[in-house]
Amino acid sequence: MESQIILLIFILVLSIFLGVELITKVPSTLHTPLMSGANAISGITLVGAILSSGSSEIVTIILGTSAVFFASINVVGGYLVTNRMLGMFKKK
Amino acid sequence: MDISILVNLTYIAASILFIVGLKMLGSPDTARQGNLLSASGMLLAVVITLLDQNIIDYRFIAGALLAGGIVGYFAATKVQMTSMPEMVAIFNGFGGIASLLVGSAEYVVSPLNNPALMGAIYLTVLIGGLTFTGSLIAYGKLSEVISGKPFLYKGQQFVNGLLLLTILLVGVNMIFVQGMISPNETLILLISLAFILGILFVIPIGGADMPVVIALLNSFSGLAACAAGFVITNNVLIVAGALVGASGLILTNIMCKAMNRSLANVLFSGFGAVSDSDTERSEEQGEVSPISAQDAYLILEAASSVLIVPGYGMAVAQAQHAVRELGELLEANGAEVKYAIHPVAGRMPGHMNVLLAEANVSYDVLVEPEDVNPIMETVDVCMVIGANDVVNPDAKENEGSPIYGMPIIEVDNSKTVFVLKRSMASGFAGIQNPLFFKSNTRMLFGDAKETVSTLVSEFKG
């Protein structure tokens, strides 16, 4: 268990550094689509929600299913609106 | 092959797609494909998760996915670009509550477990809960359902301190002691406290500072997902959550720098709660010089370089399409036209750029303050449309001003400044603006859209 936690923390730390590197390169003109896109990515919690709602415990199913609902709004809405916005950015 | 290996390899592939997708957001040319890559990564992760053998019943999952998808679809296709901040705010909240529910679901199954898992659940529920209610308050303030004024009361710090202490004690009980109060009570107590924390965290912050708050809550929604990743020991949640967390923090930092304020100052100062002592100064500042649209046209017609400085007021007046048309006519007339965008113009990072993109303004004519300030003396006409605080010379000249030190677009250094303004009322932050009284400033009073349309018809005339 401990070694697994350490591995996860290792992944976390590297991901944060990677995130900082990636995001600092995004130009300010794209910051709104960046936020809505990042928002959609944070809907990844949907993965956890699906696993919970597939359980056999009734309480877990209720909690998990509600989580699936909210997270999928986040994912679908987030990606679509980002796509819509980015479609507007044109160069002459 | 063991299914769990396939699942984990797919999660790695999804993580790669998120990372490459974000990398492609580095340029407007590739950004849209980047978003598609990121979305396909998500699809991949979701589909492979559905193959999990422990899933007993798919009906609820399918129903919730469909319902959420429909809501998301309509929200994304119907939302006005001016309302983007509200939408991002509420979506942050949904991300937060989803993580809270995932954490809670795990806790209900095994409430007494090793401290590492309990700690992860504690953080997931806490961050998710405060992101949820904090985002709802931010949404309320942005859509003006709740007053945008900072809400301050006596003993605020005491109440907050007490709340944080209680949250800490619940954490100690949940992670280490396990059993001082029953698991169900612990969970309900923690969720309630997290909700209250979110409300008390955002409610004292003024409407003008909401861009910072949304960026921060964006980061929190990522961190909540990240914590949920620790709960279910899932790498893709940790990677994706950390990317979002980092993104939100960087944007928060950019916003704070653009206002020359620390994050602590934004969060805890109740900025704009008391109108400052500058109000009486306004009388000594002299008179403003109004100008008619017809006279303004004559000056614009002779100008060889024009800088347009849009603010949120332009979007409120729905003037962006008229502004773009004016810009094109000026270019046809031989002038060089640029748009200077301050990082805090609009109500979220990059908001103004999206509003101009929607009005078909090419993104390569959008410039940042540091690009344009050094050459401001060479600009013939600056048109300030619905912007106020971001062009306020007090930020450079008046040490007593609440915005002193904030980087601004130094339009007062250009040859002529037109300020399009409805009236002499002060800006969103409630601060007087001496720009209006400068000798090279001319006020174009009236509705921005009408004024710009008049200018357009003069050009066509």
Side-chain angles (χ1 to χ4, degrees), chain A residues 1-2 4-92, chain B residues 11 18-19 22-23 25-28 31-32 35 38-39 42 46 49-50 52 54-56 60-61 64-65 67-69 71-73 76-77 79 81 84 87-88 91-92 94-95 97-99 101-102 104-105 108-109 116 214-215 218 221 225-226 230 232-235 237-240 242-244 246-247 250-251 254 331 348-351 353-354 357-358 360 362-364 366 368:
Chain A
M1 188 66 205
E2 272 76 25
Q4 197 177 17
I5 292 286
I6 296 295
L7 187 67
L8 292 178
I9 292 174
F10 188 62
I11 292 169
L12 169 68
V13 173
L14 289 182
S15 307
I16 289 176
F17 276 96
L18 178 63
V20 170
E21 282 301 309
L22 288 171
I23 307 301
T24 42
K25 295 203 175 64
V26 176
S28 62
T29 194
L30 293 179
H31 277 165
T32 294
L34 168 66
M35 271 178 95
S36 62
N39 202 295
I41 295 178
S42 77
I44 187 69
T45 201
L46 179 56
V47 165
I50 289 173
L51 293 175
S52 298
S53 55
S55 144
S56 53
E57 299 271 337
I58 181 75
V59 184
T60 319
I61 293 175
I62 294 171
L63 291 171
T65 308
S66 327
V68 171
F69 173 68
F70 285 115
S72 52
I73 296 179
N74 213 342
V75 168
V76 174
Y79 280 120
L80 278 179
V81 84
T82 308
N83 186 54
R84 192 178 142 205
M85 263 190 279
L86 289 172
M88 294 171 181
F89 282 86
K90 282 182 221 95
K91 199 169 165 179
K92 257 181 243 164
Chain B
Y11 285 157
F18 291 146
I19 291 164
L22 277 177
K23 190 172 162 50
L25 264 182
S27 154
R32 204 171 185 190
N35 185 56
S38 176
M42 183 66 74
V46 168
T49 308
L50 288 173
D52 192 289
N54 295 324
I55 294 177
I56 290 166
F60 297 108
I61 300 175
L65 272 176
V71 174
Y73 173 82
T77 44
V79 67
M81 286 301 136
M84 235 13 250
M87 177 164 170
V88 170
F91 275 27
N92 283 337
F94 289 161
I97 189 82
S99 293
L101 290 165
V102 170
S104 304
V108 173
V109 181
I214 319 174
N218 195 222
S221 75
C226 200
F230 277 89
I232 59 168
T233 55
N234 187 310
N235 288 334
L237 260 74
I238 295 178
V239 173
L243 293 174
V244 178
S247 158
I250 289 173
L251 292 175
I254 291 173
E331 276 184 343
M348 69 185 289
H351 192 200
N353 305 70
V354 171
E358 190 192 17
N360 282 321
S362 167
Y363 61 78
D364 53 348
L366 309 183
E368 289 175 48

